């Protein structure tokens, strides 16, 4: 086997591109080129300086990835696998950009597309799809994350209007959003409202000193007697089914995105191991290094196959929530382990922003927690297996 040609992409070991359609391969390649040209050259600096390049939003809109799996209203209307592959390539650069696209398309836009009125769709979706407006999704609160049913944000009827009070926390895009989808308790159960920036009583505060998702905006949202007309209410959403359906859309993008972070980490480790000379030969020629690379590539291939299988199920309209939980739980967990292991291949250089694995690992610590913690997804799967809910 001496002199065997090495692979540049560890996913090539399984020839995964063979199970994609020509259109899916073209979409993935287009997003990968955008990432290479517009994100990769700057992402180390953006991460270090906690900067989100908001000017890329219209470019992402032109690329067609904002709400790309939705139909109509300026959206691309691609299949689920194509959306997943776009998330894979975006997160291969940085979780912050995949998070931006996920929140914009699968939380903000999807909540309007699925649960909004025709007037709300016409007003917001074309602008959000084009990246001319930015959206966010307010569900999590300072004291209620995994248990959103007990949220304290409340909307009370006042004649024909609603008065909204409360706080949301850990909201991606919150500080730059033009419109927030906000979920609140009402006398009629949990309801969703569209809250535009600039309305009296609605303020935001960005969360600083983050060690993760630094190239992304994370904020708190404050609502102090915000008066909203009834036309701001999402008319077709009542109860937790509304926000949870949106979370499943975002989780689907995550289970593909995690594969991208893991792939990029292995590629960085492969490149480094081939050029780092110790004891008169590259460290890639040592058995222990090869074991690390082989084990990680097997895990990566399994995660990618799982993502593609779930994508096909979603395109057939057959995917179930517990299946999405399997994908999110497994792929994020494996990606985080891979990123950490790749950092060991890089040795001391692994702590430098010149290399991606530790940055990916830091980001994946957030991905592990948001859109449902590992514990919650474990309990979703457990309930599907046993029929018993063990959340309380």
């Amino acid at each position: 086997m001496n002199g065997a040609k090495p692979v540049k992409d560890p996913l090539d070991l399984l020839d995964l591109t063979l199970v994609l359609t020509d259109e899916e391969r073209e979409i993935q390649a287009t997003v990968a080129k955008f990432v290479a040209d517009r994100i990769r050259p700057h992402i180390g600096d953006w991460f270090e300086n906690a900067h989100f390049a908001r000017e890329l939003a219209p470019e992402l809109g032109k690329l067609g990835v904002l709400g790309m799996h939705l139909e109509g209203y300026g959206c691309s209307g691609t299949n689920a696998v194509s959306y997943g592959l776009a998330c894979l390539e975006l997160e291969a650069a940085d979780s912050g950009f995949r998070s931006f696209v996920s929140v914009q398309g699968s939380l903000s836009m999807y909540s309007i597309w699925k649960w909004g009125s025709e007037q709300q769709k016409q007003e917001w979706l074309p602008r959000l799809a084009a990246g001319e407006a930015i959206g966010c999704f307010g569900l999590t609160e300072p004291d209620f994350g995994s248990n959103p049913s007990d949220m304290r944000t409340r909307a009370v009827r006042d004649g024909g209007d609603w008065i909204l009070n409360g706080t949301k926390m850990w909201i991606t895009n919150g500080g730059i959003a033009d419109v927030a989808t906000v979920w609140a308790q009402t006398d009629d159960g949990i309801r969703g409202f569209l809250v535009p920036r600039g309305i009296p009583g609605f303020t935001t505060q960005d969360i600083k000193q983050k060690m993760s998702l630094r190239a992304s905006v994370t904020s708190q949202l404050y609502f102090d007697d915000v008066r909203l007309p009834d036309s701001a209410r999402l008319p077709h959403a009542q109860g937790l089914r509304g926000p949870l359906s949106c979370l499943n859309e975002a989780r689907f993008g995550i289970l593909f995105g995690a594969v991208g972070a893991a792939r990029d980490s292995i590629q960085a480790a492969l490149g480094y191991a081939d050029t780092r000379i110790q004891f008169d030969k590259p460290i890639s020629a040592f058995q222990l290094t090869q074991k690390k690379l082989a084990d990680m590539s097997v895990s990566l291939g399994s995660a990618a196959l799982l993502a593609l299988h779930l994508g096909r199920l979603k395109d057939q309209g057959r995917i179930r929530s517990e299946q999405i939980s399997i994908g999110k739980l497994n792929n994020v967990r494996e990606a985080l382990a891979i990123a950490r292991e790749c950092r060991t291949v890089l040795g001391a250089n692994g702590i430098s922003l010149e290399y991606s694995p530790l940055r990916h690992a830091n980001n994946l610590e957030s991905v592990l927690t948001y859109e449902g913690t590992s514990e919650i997804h474990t309990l979703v799967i457990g309930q599907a297996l046993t029929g018993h809910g063990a959340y309380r």
Side-chain angles (χ1 to χ4, degrees), residues 18-72:
L18 296 179
V19 300
L20 302 179
T21 67
D22 289 342
E23 182 180 8
E24 289 163 353
R25 282 192 290 269
E26 182 179 353
I27 288 172
Q28 182 176 11
T30 300
V31 177
K33 185 178 186 308
F34 175 87
V35 164
D37 293 343
R38 301 294 290 126
I39 299 178
R40 285 190 185 277
H42 313 289
I43 190 58
D45 289 337
W46 290 342
F47 186 92
E48 183 175 20
N49 296 311
H51 172 72
F52 174 70
R54 182 176 181 170
E55 65 274 13
L56 291 186
E59 295 185 40
L60 289 165
K62 186 176 180 180
L63 190 66
V65 298
L66 302 180
M68 63 185 290
H69 59 308
L70 305 180
E71 295 282 351

Side-chain angles (χ1 to χ4, degrees), residues 91-203:
E91 189 144 359
D94 192 81
S95 297
F97 281 90
R98 198 271 310 140
S99 294
F100 171 79
V101 169
S102 287
V103 169
Q104 182 88 343
S106 292
L107 294 180
S108 173
M109 293 177 67
Y110 183 81
S111 65
I112 300 170
W113 184 85
K114 178 71 174 178
W115 304 112
S117 67
E118 185 61 28
Q119 179 183 354
Q120 290 168 339
K121 295 175 186 179
Q122 294 286 355
E123 179 181 1
W124 287 110
L125 290 180
R127 294 169 58 199
L128 291 166
E132 296 170 359
I134 292 175
C136 70
F137 186 86
L139 179 63
T140 299
E141 298 186 357
D143 296 320
F144 296 96
S146 296
N147 182 23
S149 61
D150 283 348
M151 69 176 69
R152 291 181 181 144
T153 298
R154 186 163 184 83
V156 178
R157 278 279 198 179
D158 183 40
D161 295 338
W162 294 86
I163 306 298
L164 179 68
N165 283 282
T167 304
K168 300 295 183 179
M169 193 167 186
W170 304 116
I171 308 304
T172 299
N173 300 351
I176 57 174
D178 299 287
V179 62
T181 298
V182 180
W183 301 93
Q185 300 277 11
T186 74
D187 290 339
D188 227 2
I190 291 174
R191 294 281 195 171
F193 298 85
L194 297 183
V195 184
R197 177 169 295 280
I199 194 169
F202 173 33
T203 57

Side-chain angles (χ1 to χ4, degrees), residues 217-296:
V217 176
T218 311
S219 312
Q220 288 186 268
L221 312 182
Y222 301 97
F223 309 97
D224 183 11
D225 287 336
V226 175
R227 179 174 292 273
L228 298 168
D230 191 52
S231 60
R233 177 176 54 88
L234 296 174
H236 305 300
Q238 184 173 9
L240 274 179
R241 178 167 171 256
L244 294 184
S245 68
C246 303
L247 292 180
N248 269 337
E249 292 294 311
R251 290 163 180 165
F252 176 79
I254 288 170
L255 66 91
F256 269 89
V259 174
R263 185 198 69 187
D264 187 72
S265 295
I266 296 176
Q267 286 177 312
L270 281 168
Y272 182 85
D274 201 40
T275 58
R276 175 67 169 173
I277 306 298
Q278 293 292 292
F279 303 101
D280 302 320
K281 63 180 180 180
I283 63 173
S284 60
F286 289 99
Q287 289 183 355
L288 288 178
T289 303
Q290 289 193 5
K291 183 182 188 305
K292 290 180 180 182
L293 296 169
D295 286 346
M296 291 187 294

